[in-house]
Amino acid sequence: QVQLVESGGGLVQAGGSLRLSCAASGRTFSSYAMGWLRQAPGKEREFVAGINWSGGATYYGDSVKGRFTISRDNAKNTVYLQMNSLKPEDTAVYYCAVKSPGGSYYYSSDYDYWGQGTQVTVSS
């Protein structure tokens, strides 16, 4: 069992930045591939970014490439999402999640454990 707690969301103006954090419980965090996904009102949950167990491989959704950066610190059991050049369309609840072994980063159904989410609101 893994527990995930996101933090760092808030209200920011367009063009601004936020850094989200996701703290994980458990001694095997360093063995998990992780992802950030988001869900806007009335929309399906969308893949944002993923990172493998070591941090050596990262993946991004098309809408955030070049603006968002995912990273992790296994010593702190934490994964981060640095979000720059934010746009109003980035407004959503952001979730971190543990990817299923062998699953795809891009599908929300391939994640086993989820945090409670943190709200990000970007004003125009």
Side-chain angles (χ1 to χ4, degrees), residues 9 27 104 108 111 123:
R27 292 175 292 177
S104 168
S108 60
Y111 289 84
S123 63

PDB file of all heavy atoms in Angstrom, residues 9 27 104 108 111 123:
ATOM      1  N   GLY A   9      -0.389  23.414  -4.980  1.00  0.00           N
ATOM      2  CA  GLY A   9      -1.345  24.041  -5.884  1.00  0.00           C
ATOM      3  C   GLY A   9      -1.752  25.420  -5.399  1.00  0.00           C
ATOM      4  O   GLY A   9      -1.398  25.846  -4.296  1.00  0.00           O
ATOM      5  N   ARG A  27       8.722   2.252   1.911  1.00  0.00           N
ATOM      6  CA  ARG A  27      10.164   2.157   1.705  1.00  0.00           C
ATOM      7  C   ARG A  27      10.543   1.800   0.278  1.00  0.00           C
ATOM      8  O   ARG A  27      11.704   1.808  -0.071  1.00  0.00           O
ATOM      9  CB  ARG A  27      10.740   1.092   2.648  1.00  0.00           C
ATOM     10  CG  ARG A  27      10.664   1.506   4.120  1.00  0.00           C
ATOM     11  CD  ARG A  27      11.123   0.359   4.998  1.00  0.00           C
ATOM     12  NE  ARG A  27      10.192  -0.753   4.969  1.00  0.00           N
ATOM     13  CZ  ARG A  27      10.394  -1.895   5.606  1.00  0.00           C
ATOM     14  NH1 ARG A  27      11.512  -2.067   6.292  1.00  0.00           N
ATOM     15  NH2 ARG A  27       9.505  -2.856   5.547  1.00  0.00           N
ATOM     16  N   SER A 104       1.143   1.656 -19.186  1.00  0.00           N
ATOM     17  CA  SER A 104       1.522   2.830 -19.959  1.00  0.00           C
ATOM     18  C   SER A 104       1.439   4.075 -19.087  1.00  0.00           C
ATOM     19  O   SER A 104       0.523   4.219 -18.279  1.00  0.00           O
ATOM     20  CB  SER A 104       0.590   2.980 -21.160  1.00  0.00           C
ATOM     21  OG  SER A 104       0.761   4.247 -21.773  1.00  0.00           O
ATOM     22  N   SER A 108      -4.736   6.699 -17.686  1.00  0.00           N
ATOM     23  CA  SER A 108      -5.019   6.796 -16.254  1.00  0.00           C
ATOM     24  C   SER A 108      -5.384   5.445 -15.660  1.00  0.00           C
ATOM     25  O   SER A 108      -5.180   5.211 -14.463  1.00  0.00           O
ATOM     26  CB  SER A 108      -6.136   7.809 -16.001  1.00  0.00           C
ATOM     27  OG  SER A 108      -7.327   7.440 -16.658  1.00  0.00           O
ATOM     28  N   TYR A 111      -2.607   3.219 -13.637  1.00  0.00           N
ATOM     29  CA  TYR A 111      -2.032   3.690 -12.377  1.00  0.00           C
ATOM     30  C   TYR A 111      -2.757   3.011 -11.213  1.00  0.00           C
ATOM     31  O   TYR A 111      -3.983   2.886 -11.224  1.00  0.00           O
ATOM     32  CB  TYR A 111      -2.138   5.207 -12.263  1.00  0.00           C
ATOM     33  CG  TYR A 111      -1.211   5.927 -13.215  1.00  0.00           C
ATOM     34  CD1 TYR A 111      -1.572   6.158 -14.533  1.00  0.00           C
ATOM     35  CD2 TYR A 111       0.054   6.340 -12.799  1.00  0.00           C
ATOM     36  CE1 TYR A 111      -0.715   6.800 -15.413  1.00  0.00           C
ATOM     37  CE2 TYR A 111       0.920   6.991 -13.666  1.00  0.00           C
ATOM     38  CZ  TYR A 111       0.524   7.218 -14.978  1.00  0.00           C
ATOM     39  OH  TYR A 111       1.376   7.844 -15.846  1.00  0.00           O
ATOM     40  N   SER A 123      -5.372  32.193 -13.829  1.00  0.00           N
ATOM     41  CA  SER A 123      -6.252  33.279 -14.257  1.00  0.00           C
ATOM     42  C   SER A 123      -5.668  33.991 -15.467  1.00  0.00           C
ATOM     43  O   SER A 123      -4.446  34.085 -15.622  1.00  0.00           O
ATOM     44  CB  SER A 123      -6.465  34.261 -13.116  1.00  0.00           C
ATOM     45  OG  SER A 123      -5.239  34.874 -12.757  1.00  0.00           O
TER      46      SER A 123
END
